[in-house]
Structure formats: structure tokens, C-alpha cells
Amino acid sequence: MYLGWIPDSNAQSRFSLKNSSIFITRFSYISNAVHQHRKPEGYPSLLNQGGGGTKLAKSLDRLLGAGQGRRNNLSGHHKNSNDTLISSAMLSDAISELAKKVALDRNHDIPYLAGYSVDRSKIYIDRHLQRTYQDHLGKHHEVDKFLILHEATEMALIDLWKLHYQHAHQIALRAEEAAVRAAGLQWREYDAFMQRWIKRADSEKITMVPATLDLIPYLDEDDSELIEVMQRAMVP
């Protein structure tokens, strides 16, 4: 589910979430260093302070294929490079691997652009969303992989760690932002493109919503009008 705008400024992006401010702060601090191609200061100590940091590090290591055998077999990867550091190339490779494992459905109306099925077998992306966007240089970039990362991350945090939707969404949104920046793209341009495609309750284009779409994100947003429209438009 795609929602919300993340500011580029470090000052603007300071925020906290109830009962999880330390966890979110650590994650944001680490992920914000991705586009700078550097390892954040105090990285080891951050991960050893407990409160979910160590679990997060281990989960990210697994996602990025941090096992030595896996690393040495990656295309174009050099054995002597230190891939324990933040790496845009490694993140982009991980996203490509994730996309290969996902059953993607682009045949339905998904008001907030993306979502997942109740049984977790599919990730949905709205059928009207353009597959590419054009940046300020006139270049076109594919967007599905970034939404897939967001939904897969959000889904895993909710299912495995039992996080509240809003907390899982914030982490997933930060992961999406890091992926966009790692690809050398500007977040503001990407986000502005996405915002133009979000379907509201009064949209005439909501006519074919999958009956298996998980509605928890919409219920959490308490958008009863939109939910009613979606339920009337549901198809097998």
C-alpha cells in the first residue's frame, strides 16, 4: 500500500512513532546513508543496542544475501570487496532477486497503488499505474520493483513480527525510499509521480478490485467511504 511523502531534508524527516521511536530512528539513520554510499558512524553499536536492532540487522542480512557463499556467487561481485557495508549495488541486486520470487498481479484496481492478497500468494499493483515514469532529464524508469519491495517488506513485518500496520508501513516506505535513491533516482520526482496515480473514493476507475485483496491497510486508515466503493467493485 503506497501512502505518504517522505521529505528529503534530514531535519524534516525527524519523526518518532509511539512505542517504536528508537527502532524507527535506528532504521532511518542506517537507510538514509544508502544514497551517500557510506557506512553510517556507530553502525556496529547501533545494531548491538538491542530493542530490535539486532533482529533487524539479521533480517536485512538475509534479504540482501549476506551469506558468504551467496555473496561470492553474485554476478559482478568481487570476493575482496567489503559488502558488509551499505551498498547501493547490493541493494539493487537484492530487489531484482525479490522481484523474481513474487507472483505479481497487474489486472485489478488497487486504490493506493499496491497491496497483497489475504493468503500472501500475490502482490497487486494497480492496472492503470504506468510501468515507468519520466525524470527531469527525460529518462524513463521502471517502478514495479520499488512497490514490490515495499509490499513484501510491509507484509513480512506484519506477519512475522506482528507489527501494527502503520509501523510496518513506515519501515517499508523507508526501504522503498532507500531503493529509489540506490537506483540513482530522486525521491521527490518518484513520489510526485506515484501521488498522481492514487485512486480516491470518488474515482470512476475503481471497478475491478480483487476479492482476495487484504483490506487491513484500508481499515487502518479508517477510510470507510473508500472501503464501501471497493467492496462494491470486488470481483473473483
Side-chain angles (χ1 to χ4, degrees):
M1 179 177 180
Y2 186 92
L3 277 178
W5 167 80
I6 295 178
D8 284 335
S9 166
N10 288 334
Q12 288 178 305
S13 64
R14 291 175 187 148
F15 66 97
S16 61
L17 292 172
K18 186 177 181 180
N19 299 325
S20 63
S21 59
I22 295 177
F23 181 77
I24 297 297
T25 300
R26 290 175 190 161
F27 184 90
S28 300
Y29 178 62
I30 293 170
S31 65
N32 283 341
V34 170
H35 70 288
Q36 299 178 19
H37 306 287
R38 66 174 177 82
K39 183 177 180 179
E41 296 181 6
Y43 180 78
S45 61
L46 280 173
L47 299 183
N48 291 328
Q49 288 175 9
T54 302
K55 290 183 179 179
L56 173 61
K58 291 180 179 178
S59 297
L60 290 176
D61 282 345
R62 286 195 294 270
L63 176 63
L64 297 175
Q68 187 62 47
R70 164 86 173 93
R71 291 199 299 264
N72 290 341
N73 290 325
L74 286 175
S75 175
H77 180 73
H78 301 289
K79 293 183 179 180
N80 295 328
S81 64
N82 187 353
D83 55 14
T84 61
L85 302 180
I86 294 292
S87 168
S88 294
M90 185 67 76
L91 178 58
S92 295
D93 180 77
I95 294 169
S96 296
E97 289 298 313
L98 177 62
K100 295 176 183 178
K101 302 177 183 297
V102 168
L104 180 63
D105 183 312
R106 250 187 168 275
N107 302 313
H108 297 85
D109 299 315
I110 311 298
Y112 288 147
L113 300 185
Y116 33 82
S117 59
V118 174
D119 64 4
R120 304 316 195 228
S121 64
K122 291 181 181 179
I123 285 181
Y124 296 104
I125 294 179
D126 188 79
R127 60 182 175 141
H128 293 113
L129 177 66
Q130 290 183 359
R131 295 176 183 271
T132 64
Y133 83 95
Q134 184 175 349
D135 66 16
H136 65 287
L137 298 176
K139 296 181 179 180
H140 291 266
H141 308 278
E142 296 181 349
V143 300
D144 284 10
K145 59 186 177 182
F146 302 124
L147 292 174
I148 289 173
L149 173 65
H150 180 123
E151 299 306 319
T153 301
E154 183 178 287
M155 184 167 47
L157 290 170
I158 291 174
D159 292 351
L160 296 179
W161 300 104
K162 311 304 179 186
L163 287 189
H164 187 275
Y165 163 73
Q166 289 291 354
H167 293 172
H169 171 72
Q170 283 296 329
I171 295 173
L173 195 58
R174 290 287 171 170
E176 182 181 356
E177 179 197 23
V180 168
R181 293 186 185 279
L185 308 178
Q186 293 185 10
W187 174 257
R188 286 181 180 273
E189 286 187 345
Y190 170 87
D191 182 63
F193 165 81
M194 290 295 179
Q195 293 295 333
R196 291 198 299 269
W197 289 92
I198 292 178
K199 296 174 179 176
R200 308 299 179 184
D202 58 352
S203 174
E204 297 179 355
K205 293 184 177 181
I206 303 179
T207 61
M208 194 163 63
V209 176
T212 56
L213 178 66
D214 191 336
L215 296 182
I216 288 179
Y218 302 91
L219 292 169
D220 196 79
E221 289 298 315
D222 198 26
D223 193 340
S224 58
E225 183 180 2
L226 176 59
I227 292 174
E228 290 180 7
V229 172
M230 292 173 66
Q231 289 177 329
R232 290 197 298 268
M234 282 188 171
V235 296

